[in-house]
Amino acid sequence: MNKERIFSGMQPSGRFHLGNYMGALGNWVKLQHDYECIFSIVDLHALTSSYADTSQLQENIREMAIDWLSAGLDPEKNIIFVQSHVKEHAELAMLLGMITPLSWLERVPTYKDKIQNLSTQGKDLRTYGFLGYPVLMAADIILYKATRVPVGEDQSAHLELTREMVRRFNYIYNKEVFPEPQAVYSNAKVLPGIDGRKMSKSYDNTIPFGASPEEVEARIKMMITDPQRIKKIDKGNPDICIVYQFQKVFNTSEVEDIERKCRAGEIGCMQCKKILAEKMNVLLADIHLRREELSRKPNYIREVLEHGEKRARVIAEKNMAEIKAAMNVF
Ligand code: TYM
C-alpha cells in the first residue's frame, strides 16, 4: 500500500526552541510511522534573511541534525537531508518564479512585518531572495509531490500560496503535475513564548530546546500569570495565564486538575510553575542525553545527511524531468 508523502523543513538559523519542537518536530516524530516522510534542513531559506553573516551556518546545520535525531526522528525511516545539497530545489524555485505574480508575494502577511522586525536587528530584507521565500518553500514541497506538510500555524499563509501556485502551474501547463498539499498541525500550533507572544527567536522569548533544567525553571519563573491574583487563595483565571497554556501542552495528564484548583484558589502560581518545570525537564532529559551522545559522532551525522541526500535526489530528479517536460524545457 502506498503511504501518503510528507514534506517539511526548518531553517538552521540558530538556537532551536520549544515552539519548533511542539509545533513541528514532535509531530514529525509521531507521523514518521504512518507516512513516507522527507525532512529538510532548509539552509537556502536561512540565507534569505541571514545572508550577511554565514559564519555559523554549517555549525547550525549540524546542530539541527542533532536536534532532530535526538528528538527521535529515525534516519532509516525518513529522508533527512540538507536542502542546498539537492540542486533541484533551486532549479524548481527558479522555474516557479516565472509563473508567480509579484502581487501574491507582496501580500503574504508576514512579508512586510518581517522586513520591519528584522530591520531593527540590522538586517536589510528588501532583497529579491527574501521576497521569493514562499516560492522556494513551495518548490521544496511540490518537488516531492508531497500531500501533507506538518508545520506550526505561522506557516499557513505560505501553504495557501503553495496551493495557489500548484493550481496555477497545473492550469497553465494543462496537466495535473502536482497535488495540492495540506497542513498538518500539532495540538500546539502556536506555542506562546514566555511573554505570551508567539515563541520566536526574533522576540527573544523562547525556551531553547537545549536549555538546562535550571534555565527551564528560570524561564518559567518569568512567565506572566493572572495579574489579578495576588495571594494563593485568590481565585485565578487560567484563560489569561501563560503557564496554563504550557500546562495544556506539556502536562496533559494533570492540566484539568490544575485548572480546577487554580479557579478555586487551591494552588499557587509558584507551585503551578514548579510542576510545569518538572514535567518539561523530564521530557527534555532523555533528549539531552541522546543529544550529548550524538554530539560525539560527527561522522555519523554526516553519513545520515549524505544518505538522505541520495534518497531525496532520486525522487527530485525524476519529478524534475516531468515538471520540465510539462513546461517544454529540455
Ligand atoms: P521555521 O524554521 O521558522 O520553523 C520551523 C517550524 O517550527 C514551527 N514553529 C512553531 N510552531 C508552534 N509555535 C511556535 N511558537 C513556533 N515557532 C516555530 C514553524 O511553524 C515551522 O513548522 N518556512 C519554514 C521552513 C520551510 C518549510 C518548507 C516548512 C521551508 N521550506 C517546506 C515546510 C515545508 C520556516 O521558516 O520554519
Side-chain angles (χ1 to χ4, degrees):
M1 197 184 70
N2 267 355
K3 288 181 181 174
E4 263 190 82
R5 185 176 286 158
I6 272 183
F7 183 95
S8 197
M10 286 191 191
Q11 300 187 63
S13 52
R15 277 186 99 189
F16 191 70
H17 57 71
L18 286 180
N20 302 131
Y21 178 63
M22 296 314 288
L25 180 59
N27 215 16
W28 300 2
V29 173
K30 288 186 200 140
L31 295 164
Q32 67 181 335
H33 306 292
D34 299 320
Y35 292 88
E36 181 194 349
C37 297
I38 307 177
F39 299 121
S40 183
I41 299 176
V42 291
D43 53 345
L44 297 175
H45 277 102
L47 285 183
T48 62
S49 49
S50 301
Y51 57 86
D53 179 5
T54 56
S55 56
Q56 299 300 307
L57 185 60
Q58 293 309 316
E59 169 78 12
N60 288 343
I61 290 172
R62 225 174 6 256
E63 290 293 311
M64 178 151 273
I66 294 175
D67 284 329
W68 289 9
L69 298 183
S70 54
L73 277 194
D74 179 343
E76 285 308 318
K77 260 202 177 103
N78 309 290
I79 298 182
I80 298 173
F81 74 105
V82 179
Q83 181 191 35
S84 68
H85 294 179
V86 177
K87 307 262 182 297
E88 283 76 7
H89 288 255
E91 188 179 8
L92 182 53
M94 155 65 76
L95 292 176
L96 289 180
M98 305 305 171
I99 66 162
T100 311
L102 259 186
S103 58
W104 288 13
L105 299 175
E106 285 163 345
R107 69 157 201 243
V108 172
T110 47
Y111 175 64
K112 290 207 172 85
D113 289 357
K114 215 162 169 197
I115 287 185
Q116 236 158 28
N117 259 334
L118 292 190
S119 71
T120 57
Q121 296 172 25
K123 289 181 180 171
D124 184 354
L125 295 190
R126 288 164 305 164
T127 58
Y128 172 57
F130 187 67
L131 180 68
Y133 183 108
V135 180
L136 181 58
M137 179 161 160
D140 293 342
I141 299 166
I142 68 180
L143 178 58
Y144 299 94
K145 300 191 182 187
T147 50
R148 308 253 160 195
V149 186
V151 282
E153 202 177 36
D154 59 347
Q155 299 299 313
S156 65
H158 289 151
L159 268 177
E160 185 51 48
L161 197 95
T162 303
R163 284 191 289 274
E164 280 179 286
M165 296 190 38
V166 162
R167 290 194 285 270
R168 188 164 163 88
F169 186 100
N170 290 347
Y171 173 74
I172 291 178
Y173 301 108
N174 200 19
K175 194 165 178 253
E176 288 293 305
V177 177
F178 303 116
E180 283 187 35
Q182 304 298 329
V184 184
Y185 296 124
S186 74
N187 65 348
K189 49 189 182 181
V190 189
L191 187 73
I194 58 170
D195 60 359
R197 292 185 290 175
K198 185 191 95 161
M199 186 178 285
S200 164
K201 207 171 69 105
S202 39
Y203 297 147
D204 196 19
N205 65 358
T206 70
I207 300 181
F209 193 53
S212 67
E214 295 74 32
E215 214 178 326
V216 169
E217 219 169 291
R219 300 295 272 176
I220 292 175
K221 273 198 185 133
M222 289 160 77
M223 288 178 186
I224 298 160
T225 55
D226 175 358
Q228 303 289 325
R229 225 179 154 203
I230 317 285
K231 296 188 292 304
K232 182 184 149 186
I233 49 164
D234 294 338
K235 291 188 164 77
N237 177 6
D239 300 332
I240 54 169
C241 172
I242 299 164
V243 182
Y244 176 63
Q245 298 295 318
F246 273 71
Q247 298 280 19
K248 279 203 280 198
V249 175
F250 290 94
N251 193 5
T252 44
S253 60
E254 288 175 293
V255 66
E256 275 180 31
D257 190 44
I258 289 172
E259 179 186 354
R260 188 188 53 74
K261 285 182 174 155
C262 172
R263 290 193 194 278
E266 288 170 12
I267 182 174
C269 296
M270 291 301 280
Q271 194 193 346
C272 178
K273 286 181 172 183
K274 196 161 161 273
I275 295 172
L276 175 66
E278 273 164 18
K279 273 280 164 185
M280 287 174 64
N281 282 330
V282 167
L283 172 81
L284 291 177
D286 278 353
I287 296 176
H288 288 175
L289 250 156
R290 282 200 293 272
R291 203 174 198 297
E292 251 170 56
E293 242 172 68
L294 287 162
S295 302
R296 288 193 292 270
K297 297 182 182 165
N299 289 342
Y300 172 68
I301 300 296
R302 211 177 19 253
E303 281 163 23
V304 164
L305 294 176
E306 279 170 11
H307 179 55
E309 170 191 333
K310 284 194 193 114
R311 292 166 69 197
R313 187 172 296 124
V314 173
I315 307 171
E317 280 177 354
K318 177 170 169 281
N319 288 347
M320 202 61 212
E322 185 189 345
I323 295 161
K324 286 167 82 172
M327 295 177 85
N328 288 319
V329 178
F330 296 105

